[in-house]
Amino acid sequence: MSAPTVATDFATIDWRGRTVRIECQWIAPERGADAPLIVFLHEGLGSVAMWKDFPAQVCEAAGARGLVFSRPGYGRSTPRAEDEIWDVDFMHRQAHEVLPALFAALKLGDEKPWLFGHSDGGSISLLYASRFSDKVAGLVVLAPHIFVEDKTVANIEIARTAYRTTDLPGKLGRYHDSADSAFWGWNRIWLHPPFRDWNIEAELATIRCPVLAVQGIDDEYGTLAQIRDIAPRVGGGSGICELLEIPECGHSPHRDQPDRVIVATASFITNNRRQTP
C-alpha cells in the first residue's frame, strides 16, 4: 500500500485585528470526501512539525484524511506579537475564534471533522465541541486539561527554568519560527495567578458528539481526574465518552505508546462514525 500524500500549505485568517498566516498540512486528500477528516490540534508547545509522522499513521489506520495545523504563535504560523500577552480565555479564543475562522478559510463548508487534540489542543477541542456541537463528528483528546492542578503548574515552572538556563530555546527553534513566541505565550499564561481558577467542567455538558479521552497513568502534567471528570459531564451525563488510561505512559501518549493510541483512535472513529444526512 502506497503512503498517503502529505502536502503543506498556508491559510490566512483575520484575528484580533490583524492578518494571521496559519501553517497547514493536508494528509491523504486523494481519499476524497467519503473518507472522514481528522483535524489534529497540538499541545502548548507543539506545531505541525512536532507531530512528525503520527497524524499520517492515524489517518492510514482509520482510512481518513487529515488536517494538521500550527496555531497562531507556533510553528511556521504568524508569531505572537511582542506586546501580545494571552489572557485566561486564550483557549476559548482558539476554540471560538481561530478554529472557525480557519475552517471557513479552508472552505470546509458543512463537513463535520473529527478533532484529535493533545494537552491544550485537547482542551480547545472540547471547547469547540461545546460551542459548535452540530459541527463536529467526534473528539479524541489526549491528556486534556479541564481544570488547573498543582502538579501542572509545578512542571510548567520547571519548564520556565529550563528555557532560561538550558538549550531548550534552540531545540524549540527547530520547530518554530520564533521559539520565544511559542514558549512565553504558553508559559506566562499558565503561570499567571488568575489562571489557577480556569475551569471548563461546566461547558462539557453541551458536547453532543462521542468522545474518547486518553491519558497516561504517569502523566507528569495532570492526574487521571482530568479525563475521569469528563465522562460524567459529556452531554449532561448522557453522552458517549470512552476512557483509555495507559500504563507506562506520560503526558504524550502518542509518543510514549503510539500503537495503543492509533488502534484505539481508528476503532473509535469506525465504531462511532455516522453518515451526514
Side-chain angles (χ1 to χ4, degrees), residues 22-49:
I22 304 292
E23 177 189 23
C24 300
Q25 184 183 83
W26 291 99
I27 299 170
E30 68 274 8
R31 291 195 172 120
D34 289 339
L37 174 64
I38 306 174
V39 179
F40 294 83
L41 291 90
H42 61 73
E43 62 187 296
L45 290 178
S47 67
V48 167

mmCIF file of all heavy atoms in Angstrom, residues 22-49:
data_model
loop_
_atom_site.group_PDB
_atom_site.id
_atom_site.type_symbol
_atom_site.label_atom_id
_atom_site.label_comp_id
_atom_site.label_asym_id
_atom_site.label_seq_id
_atom_site.Cartn_x
_atom_site.Cartn_y
_atom_site.Cartn_z
ATOM 1 N N ILE A 22 -1.637 30.855 8.796
ATOM 2 C CA ILE A 22 -1.714 29.588 9.517
ATOM 3 C C ILE A 22 -1.049 28.489 8.687
ATOM 4 O O ILE A 22 -1.452 28.237 7.547
ATOM 5 C CB ILE A 22 -3.174 29.192 9.810
ATOM 6 C CG1 ILE A 22 -3.908 30.299 10.570
ATOM 7 C CG2 ILE A 22 -3.221 27.873 10.584
ATOM 8 C CD1 ILE A 22 -3.425 30.529 11.968
ATOM 9 N N GLU A 23 -0.060 27.845 9.259
ATOM 10 C CA GLU A 23 0.609 26.711 8.613
ATOM 11 C C GLU A 23 -0.302 25.485 8.661
ATOM 12 O O GLU A 23 -0.784 25.105 9.734
ATOM 13 C CB GLU A 23 1.916 26.416 9.336
ATOM 14 C CG GLU A 23 2.672 25.198 8.809
ATOM 15 C CD GLU A 23 3.842 24.804 9.689
ATOM 16 O OE1 GLU A 23 3.840 25.151 10.902
ATOM 17 O OE2 GLU A 23 4.765 24.147 9.158
ATOM 18 N N CYS A 24 -0.540 24.866 7.506
ATOM 19 C CA CYS A 24 -1.426 23.705 7.418
ATOM 20 C C CYS A 24 -0.729 22.563 6.689
ATOM 21 O O CYS A 24 0.077 22.791 5.786
ATOM 22 C CB CYS A 24 -2.703 24.047 6.657
ATOM 23 S SG CYS A 24 -3.690 25.367 7.380
ATOM 24 N N GLN A 25 -1.066 21.364 7.059
ATOM 25 C CA GLN A 25 -0.574 20.172 6.359
ATOM 26 C C GLN A 25 -1.760 19.253 6.088
ATOM 27 O O GLN A 25 -2.490 18.881 7.001
ATOM 28 C CB GLN A 25 0.471 19.440 7.204
ATOM 29 C CG GLN A 25 1.104 18.241 6.526
ATOM 30 C CD GLN A 25 2.080 17.530 7.443
ATOM 31 O OE1 GLN A 25 1.693 16.716 8.270
ATOM 32 N NE2 GLN A 25 3.362 17.870 7.320
ATOM 33 N N TRP A 26 -1.944 18.908 4.823
ATOM 34 C CA TRP A 26 -3.029 18.013 4.421
ATOM 35 C C TRP A 26 -2.482 16.606 4.253
ATOM 36 O O TRP A 26 -1.421 16.408 3.658
ATOM 37 C CB TRP A 26 -3.651 18.476 3.113
ATOM 38 C CG TRP A 26 -4.425 19.753 3.220
ATOM 39 C CD1 TRP A 26 -4.000 20.997 2.880
ATOM 40 C CD2 TRP A 26 -5.761 19.905 3.712
ATOM 41 N NE1 TRP A 26 -4.987 21.924 3.121
ATOM 42 C CE2 TRP A 26 -6.075 21.277 3.642
ATOM 43 C CE3 TRP A 26 -6.716 19.008 4.206
ATOM 44 C CZ2 TRP A 26 -7.310 21.781 4.042
ATOM 45 C CZ3 TRP A 26 -7.944 19.502 4.607
ATOM 46 C CH2 TRP A 26 -8.237 20.884 4.523
ATOM 47 N N ILE A 27 -3.219 15.634 4.756
ATOM 48 C CA ILE A 27 -2.821 14.235 4.657
ATOM 49 C C ILE A 27 -3.885 13.468 3.870
ATOM 50 O O ILE A 27 -5.086 13.547 4.183
ATOM 51 C CB ILE A 27 -2.666 13.602 6.051
ATOM 52 C CG1 ILE A 27 -1.573 14.333 6.842
ATOM 53 C CG2 ILE A 27 -2.342 12.112 5.953
ATOM 54 C CD1 ILE A 27 -1.520 13.944 8.301
ATOM 55 N N ALA A 28 -3.452 12.763 2.848
ATOM 56 C CA ALA A 28 -4.310 11.892 2.031
ATOM 57 C C ALA A 28 -5.561 12.579 1.495
ATOM 58 O O ALA A 28 -6.663 12.020 1.572
ATOM 59 C CB ALA A 28 -4.699 10.644 2.823
ATOM 60 N N PRO A 29 -5.430 13.787 0.922
ATOM 61 C CA PRO A 29 -6.623 14.425 0.353
ATOM 62 C C PRO A 29 -7.220 13.614 -0.795
ATOM 63 O O PRO A 29 -8.398 13.770 -1.116
ATOM 64 C CB PRO A 29 -6.095 15.783 -0.126
ATOM 65 C CG PRO A 29 -4.641 15.570 -0.354
ATOM 66 C CD PRO A 29 -4.209 14.596 0.705
ATOM 67 N N GLU A 30 -6.396 12.742 -1.385
ATOM 68 C CA GLU A 30 -6.882 11.935 -2.506
ATOM 69 C C GLU A 30 -7.966 10.947 -2.087
ATOM 70 O O GLU A 30 -8.657 10.385 -2.954
ATOM 71 C CB GLU A 30 -5.709 11.180 -3.143
ATOM 72 C CG GLU A 30 -5.075 10.092 -2.282
ATOM 73 C CD GLU A 30 -3.998 10.610 -1.336
ATOM 74 O OE1 GLU A 30 -3.843 11.855 -1.245
ATOM 75 O OE2 GLU A 30 -3.319 9.790 -0.697
ATOM 76 N N ARG A 31 -8.138 10.734 -0.795
ATOM 77 C CA ARG A 31 -9.174 9.789 -0.350
ATOM 78 C C ARG A 31 -10.574 10.353 -0.580
ATOM 79 O O ARG A 31 -11.541 9.603 -0.568
ATOM 80 C CB ARG A 31 -8.968 9.433 1.127
ATOM 81 C CG ARG A 31 -7.714 8.596 1.344
ATOM 82 C CD ARG A 31 -7.659 7.936 2.704
ATOM 83 N NE ARG A 31 -6.541 7.008 2.757
ATOM 84 C CZ ARG A 31 -5.517 7.079 3.612
ATOM 85 N NH1 ARG A 31 -5.491 8.043 4.512
ATOM 86 N NH2 ARG A 31 -4.548 6.198 3.568
ATOM 87 N N GLY A 32 -10.699 11.652 -0.737
ATOM 88 C CA GLY A 32 -11.982 12.238 -1.089
ATOM 89 C C GLY A 32 -12.923 12.418 0.084
ATOM 90 O O GLY A 32 -12.663 11.982 1.209
ATOM 91 N N ALA A 33 -14.054 13.066 -0.204
ATOM 92 C CA ALA A 33 -14.990 13.478 0.839
ATOM 93 C C ALA A 33 -15.674 12.321 1.548
ATOM 94 O O ALA A 33 -16.255 12.502 2.628
ATOM 95 C CB ALA A 33 -16.041 14.414 0.244
ATOM 96 N N ASP A 34 -15.635 11.118 0.971
ATOM 97 C CA ASP A 34 -16.257 9.978 1.639
ATOM 98 C C ASP A 34 -15.441 9.501 2.833
ATOM 99 O O ASP A 34 -15.959 8.806 3.710
ATOM 100 C CB ASP A 34 -16.433 8.812 0.649
ATOM 101 C CG ASP A 34 -17.516 9.085 -0.375
ATOM 102 O OD1 ASP A 34 -18.379 9.949 -0.104
ATOM 103 O OD2 ASP A 34 -17.500 8.455 -1.440
ATOM 104 N N ALA A 35 -14.174 9.857 2.869
ATOM 105 C CA ALA A 35 -13.326 9.475 3.999
ATOM 106 C C ALA A 35 -13.467 10.515 5.113
ATOM 107 O O ALA A 35 -13.573 11.718 4.847
ATOM 108 C CB ALA A 35 -11.871 9.392 3.550
ATOM 109 N N PRO A 36 -13.483 10.085 6.368
ATOM 110 C CA PRO A 36 -13.582 11.064 7.462
ATOM 111 C C PRO A 36 -12.373 11.990 7.480
ATOM 112 O O PRO A 36 -11.280 11.615 7.032
ATOM 113 C CB PRO A 36 -13.629 10.180 8.718
ATOM 114 C CG PRO A 36 -13.044 8.879 8.303
ATOM 115 C CD PRO A 36 -13.375 8.702 6.859
ATOM 116 N N LEU A 37 -12.557 13.192 7.978
ATOM 117 C CA LEU A 37 -11.485 14.170 8.110
ATOM 118 C C LEU A 37 -11.125 14.310 9.583
ATOM 119 O O LEU A 37 -11.992 14.609 10.416
ATOM 120 C CB LEU A 37 -11.911 15.532 7.556
ATOM 121 C CG LEU A 37 -10.914 16.684 7.763
ATOM 122 C CD1 LEU A 37 -9.617 16.423 7.000
ATOM 123 C CD2 LEU A 37 -11.530 18.012 7.337
ATOM 124 N N ILE A 38 -9.856 14.080 9.909
ATOM 125 C CA ILE A 38 -9.363 14.247 11.276
ATOM 126 C C ILE A 38 -8.517 15.512 11.337
ATOM 127 O O ILE A 38 -7.569 15.677 10.563
ATOM 128 C CB ILE A 38 -8.516 13.040 11.720
ATOM 129 C CG1 ILE A 38 -9.292 11.732 11.548
ATOM 130 C CG2 ILE A 38 -8.079 13.208 13.177
ATOM 131 C CD1 ILE A 38 -8.450 10.489 11.844
ATOM 132 N N VAL A 39 -8.849 16.408 12.249
ATOM 133 C CA VAL A 39 -8.093 17.645 12.447
ATOM 134 C C VAL A 39 -7.270 17.498 13.725
ATOM 135 O O VAL A 39 -7.810 17.218 14.790
ATOM 136 C CB VAL A 39 -9.026 18.864 12.551
ATOM 137 C CG1 VAL A 39 -8.214 20.135 12.795
ATOM 138 C CG2 VAL A 39 -9.869 18.998 11.290
ATOM 139 N N PHE A 40 -5.957 17.698 13.612
ATOM 140 C CA PHE A 40 -5.038 17.499 14.726
ATOM 141 C C PHE A 40 -4.683 18.845 15.358
ATOM 142 O O PHE A 40 -4.215 19.754 14.677
ATOM 143 C CB PHE A 40 -3.773 16.788 14.246
ATOM 144 C CG PHE A 40 -4.009 15.382 13.773
ATOM 145 C CD1 PHE A 40 -4.453 15.128 12.476
ATOM 146 C CD2 PHE A 40 -3.801 14.307 14.627
ATOM 147 C CE1 PHE A 40 -4.681 13.825 12.039
ATOM 148 C CE2 PHE A 40 -4.024 12.999 14.201
ATOM 149 C CZ PHE A 40 -4.469 12.761 12.907
ATOM 150 N N LEU A 41 -4.899 18.944 16.675
ATOM 151 C CA LEU A 41 -4.621 20.171 17.426
ATOM 152 C C LEU A 41 -3.500 19.902 18.418
ATOM 153 O O LEU A 41 -3.629 19.054 19.315
ATOM 154 C CB LEU A 41 -5.869 20.655 18.158
ATOM 155 C CG LEU A 41 -7.006 21.191 17.274
ATOM 156 C CD1 LEU A 41 -7.959 20.070 16.893
ATOM 157 C CD2 LEU A 41 -7.767 22.297 17.984
ATOM 158 N N HIS A 42 -2.399 20.618 18.283
ATOM 159 C CA HIS A 42 -1.192 20.320 19.041
ATOM 160 C C HIS A 42 -1.226 20.838 20.468
ATOM 161 O O HIS A 42 -2.100 21.605 20.870
ATOM 162 C CB HIS A 42 0.033 20.873 18.303
ATOM 163 C CG HIS A 42 0.032 22.358 18.114
ATOM 164 N ND1 HIS A 42 0.251 23.250 19.135
ATOM 165 C CD2 HIS A 42 -0.159 23.125 16.993
ATOM 166 C CE1 HIS A 42 0.213 24.486 18.669
ATOM 167 N NE2 HIS A 42 -0.048 24.450 17.374
ATOM 168 N N GLU A 43 -0.225 20.419 21.215
ATOM 169 C CA GLU A 43 -0.052 20.789 22.617
ATOM 170 C C GLU A 43 0.399 22.244 22.762
ATOM 171 O O GLU A 43 0.570 22.965 21.772
ATOM 172 C CB GLU A 43 0.995 19.874 23.236
ATOM 173 C CG GLU A 43 2.361 20.019 22.579
ATOM 174 C CD GLU A 43 3.366 18.997 23.069
ATOM 175 O OE1 GLU A 43 3.691 19.044 24.274
ATOM 176 O OE2 GLU A 43 3.836 18.173 22.263
ATOM 177 N N GLY A 44 0.662 22.648 24.014
ATOM 178 C CA GLY A 44 1.027 24.030 24.308
ATOM 179 C C GLY A 44 2.334 24.496 23.731
ATOM 180 O O GLY A 44 2.558 25.701 23.590
ATOM 181 N N LEU A 45 3.237 23.579 23.403
ATOM 182 C CA LEU A 45 4.494 23.947 22.749
ATOM 183 C C LEU A 45 4.644 23.238 21.410
ATOM 184 O O LEU A 45 5.749 23.125 20.878
ATOM 185 C CB LEU A 45 5.695 23.603 23.653
ATOM 186 C CG LEU A 45 5.850 24.458 24.904
ATOM 187 C CD1 LEU A 45 7.044 23.975 25.729
ATOM 188 C CD2 LEU A 45 6.011 25.932 24.561
ATOM 189 N N GLY A 46 3.556 22.770 20.848
ATOM 190 C CA GLY A 46 3.609 21.964 19.633
ATOM 191 C C GLY A 46 3.511 22.762 18.350
ATOM 192 O O GLY A 46 3.426 23.995 18.339
ATOM 193 N N SER A 47 3.526 22.024 17.239
ATOM 194 C CA SER A 47 3.430 22.607 15.906
ATOM 195 C C SER A 47 3.193 21.467 14.926
ATOM 196 O O SER A 47 3.196 20.292 15.308
ATOM 197 C CB SER A 47 4.721 23.338 15.538
ATOM 198 O OG SER A 47 5.791 22.413 15.401
ATOM 199 N N VAL A 48 3.012 21.802 13.659
ATOM 200 C CA VAL A 48 2.873 20.781 12.628
ATOM 201 C C VAL A 48 4.052 19.812 12.664
ATOM 202 O O VAL A 48 3.890 18.586 12.686
ATOM 203 C CB VAL A 48 2.752 21.425 11.230
ATOM 204 C CG1 VAL A 48 2.937 20.376 10.135
ATOM 205 C CG2 VAL A 48 1.397 22.116 11.061
ATOM 206 N N ALA A 49 5.268 20.351 12.677
ATOM 207 C CA ALA A 49 6.461 19.516 12.591
ATOM 208 C C ALA A 49 6.635 18.613 13.798
ATOM 209 O O ALA A 49 7.154 17.494 13.684
ATOM 210 C CB ALA A 49 7.703 20.382 12.406
#
